[in-house]
Amino acid sequence: MNYFFPHLKQPVASILSGLAIGAFALGGCSKEEVTVAETGAISEKIFFDDFSYQSLQEMHENQWKVRTESGHPGVANARWSADGISFLKEGDSENTLLRMTSSTDGSGENTQHTQFCHQRKYLSGTYAARVFFRDEPVSGPDGDQIIETFYTISPLKAPMDPDYSEMDFEYLANGGWGEPDNALFATSWETFKLDPFVKDNEYTTKPGSFAGWHTLVLQVADDKLRYYVDGEQFAEHSEHVYPEEPMSINFNLWFTQEGLIDSDEVRTYQQEVDWVYHIADEVLSPAEVEHKVSALRADQVAFTDSVPDWEPKLPSPCGL
């Protein structure tokens, strides 16, 4: 984990390491004591990204993947493309945002979805992200069923596999899935089968607009899943859908096949992400999450990852 502080040009871990070497040279402490000294201040298993990137290459270096493989979900024969990811400043501030851009003209060959994923190594603990949802396209006619998301997922090894794990925040700006108009869904999955579609999940939905900035928090502990939106509890789901398999952290922006409007004019939708945070094996309240993120930003930590890889290390596909 790399902690960067103002006016310092190297991670604190490196500085501590240097101090440890000096201590050995002076005979001041044992190897065991140095290990405790080095790790005690940074023992929490944390993943945080402020998305302060200038390029996709920088993002890849921090173990993010961008989806390019075709397939479920979304419009048949659509592309999943890295072209939909860009970085921009938030207003007049110096804060950098990640933007996802997806578009369609109603045909599969001219539909572009966007998704990016972090390593498959996350399970219990607290997840959070600050995201910006939109109700309308930034260009073109309105009305397509667009899905704006923050979620975790493991690969489906077989239809109705009971060890499948998935937990979703999904905003439907133009309705869908039984909702006639915009609505936010929190969905926790036990498993499913794609064709014919059979689902085993628990979900909570709240109709109405969620356009604008929102802080989404998910607590995964004690066989319960608790979803929060802007500090207020949104949903609680049971042990039946509690995750069994390590998951990747994901964001995507995609259109439903059944919800496209009757138009061949190109329409473009966008979603922004400010930051994402996870602490493994600990439950934090939304207020505690905000405090942790504020502290990381005050210390100019743009990215840190001390969540250990699963043993053995798991493949991390960016797809279903």
Side-chain angles (χ1 to χ4, degrees):
M1 170 160 63
N2 290 337
Y3 279 78
F4 287 93
F5 289 86
H7 314 304
L8 298 181
K9 302 299 185 182
Q10 64 188 110
V12 165
S14 299
I15 296 170
L16 288 171
S17 179
L19 291 174
I21 294 170
F24 278 124
L26 295 171
C29 58
S30 68
K31 183 176 181 180
E32 181 178 358
E33 288 169 337
V34 169
T35 302
V36 172
E38 286 190 53
T39 60
I42 54 174
S43 60
E44 291 178 319
K45 294 178 285 186
I46 291 173
F47 170 67
F48 172 73
D49 201 332
D50 201 29
F51 296 111
S52 297
Y53 299 114
Q54 301 298 314
S55 68
L56 275 176
Q57 180 56 40
E58 292 180 4
M59 190 172 165
H60 290 322
E61 290 170 0
N62 284 338
Q63 307 305 311
W64 288 102
K65 291 183 178 180
V66 178
R67 180 174 178 176
T68 56
E69 64 183 63
S70 60
H72 181 83
V75 177
N77 301 315
R79 293 182 302 119
W80 294 84
S81 172
D83 295 341
I85 293 181
S86 59
F87 307 99
L88 68 153
K89 296 297 183 183
E90 183 180 9
D92 296 329
S93 74
E94 291 302 309
N95 185 41
T96 301
L97 308 174
L98 183 150
R99 170 174 285 171
M100 293 186 290
T101 301
S102 297
S103 61
T104 186
D105 68 357
S107 67
E109 59 270 22
N110 292 322
T111 296
Q112 176 181 288
H113 297 143
T114 308
Q115 178 172 330
F116 63 101
C117 322
H118 205 259
Q119 293 171 282
R120 186 180 164 221
K121 60 178 184 176
Y122 304 100
L123 194 55
S124 63
T126 305
Y127 300 80
R130 181 175 182 253
V131 301
F132 189 91
F133 294 139
R134 285 183 173 82
D135 281 344
E136 300 89 16
V138 295
S139 64
D142 195 4
D144 294 297
Q145 289 179 4
I146 183 77
I147 316 297
E148 308 172 44
T149 75
F150 165 48
Y151 67 105
T152 64
I153 192 170
S154 69
L156 182 69
K157 292 179 289 189
M160 304 305 290
D161 175 19
D163 289 335
Y164 177 71
S165 302
E166 182 180 353
M167 307 177 296
D168 307 331
F169 284 100
E170 295 168 303
Y171 181 51
L172 281 63
N174 288 311
W177 303 343
E179 291 292 332
D181 207 340
N182 43 25
L184 181 65
F185 280 72
T187 308
S188 307
W189 293 80
E190 171 61 13
T191 190
F192 75 98
K193 180 169 67 173
L194 192 56
D195 188 19
F197 186 66
V198 179
K199 65 178 183 178
D200 183 356
N201 64 21
E202 295 180 17
Y203 70 92
T204 304
T205 182
K206 183 176 180 179
S209 175
F210 282 81
W213 282 110
H214 297 284
T215 299
L216 311 177
V217 174
L218 170 58
Q219 298 171 344
V220 183
D222 302 322
D223 293 328
K224 298 288 185 183
L225 306 178
R226 294 183 176 91
Y227 294 79
Y228 294 82
V229 179
D230 300 329
E232 298 295 326
Q233 186 167 326
F234 184 87
E236 180 175 314
H237 296 161
S238 75
E239 179 181 1
H240 176 66
V241 291
Y242 195 85
E244 297 96 348
E245 289 282 308
M247 299 164 287
S248 58
I249 291 175
N250 294 253
F251 298 84
N252 65 14
L253 182 65
W254 54 280
F255 301 91
T256 70
Q257 177 72 58
E258 66 277 8
L260 296 175
I261 62 173
D262 185 15
S263 172
D264 59 6
E265 184 177 346
V266 176
R267 47 271 191 195
T268 301
Y269 287 81
Q270 293 178 333
Q271 175 186 339
E272 274 87 62
V273 185
D274 185 9
W275 52 259
V276 61
Y277 175 89
H278 171 71
I279 184 166
D281 306 323
E282 293 188 34
V283 174
L284 299 184
S285 69
E288 289 171 326
V289 168
E290 295 274 12
H291 177 76
K292 293 278 190 179
V293 171
S294 295
L296 287 164
R297 288 181 134 180
D299 289 338
Q300 297 185 357
V301 180
F303 175 85
T304 186
D305 184 4
S306 60
V307 178
D309 290 328
W310 217 255
E311 292 294 341
K313 186 174 181 178
L314 298 170
S316 301
C318 194
L320 178 61

